[in-house]
Amino acid sequence: MAKTALIQRELKRDKLVAQYANKMAELKAIISDAKKSDEERMAARQALQKLPRNANPTRQRNRCELTGRARGTFRQFGITRHKVREMAFTGDIPGIVKASW
């Protein structure tokens, strides 16, 4: 089980990303628009840099929904490899069975 502080930090980042998603998309659209003047594009870059650092989606970390573990998380299930194995053996995940040949 991960520290609760780390889990809470990730939840806080999730909220910030959601809060600033529209603003970030608008600024990135201005920056990539070649029809805008260089001054407008530079102002958009500076405004983008002034946004909170944790508002960037690349700073988010995939964590297990059950344990909070950060590494070895399956995107398809949202849980870590340890829990996937446990749940597959008990039959809690439909369609996944232990391989035998």
Side-chain angles (χ1 to χ4, degrees), residues 84-95:
V84 168
R85 187 170 188 270
E86 287 176 12
M87 293 174 78
F89 284 162
T90 59
D92 294 338
I93 302 175

Side-chain angles (χ1 to χ4, degrees), residues 8-42:
Q8 293 303 317
R9 184 188 306 162
E10 285 300 320
L11 294 176
K12 188 176 172 183
R13 282 183 182 155
D14 291 341
K15 288 179 187 175
L16 269 176
V17 167
Q19 181 180 349
Y20 286 98
N22 291 334
K23 179 127 179 126
M24 194 171 285
E26 291 171 5
L27 291 173
K28 286 186 179 183
I30 292 171
I31 292 169
S32 63
D33 189 6
K35 296 178 183 175
K36 300 279 185 182
S37 68
D38 289 339
E39 291 81 19
E40 287 176 321
R41 293 168 69 190
M42 183 60 83

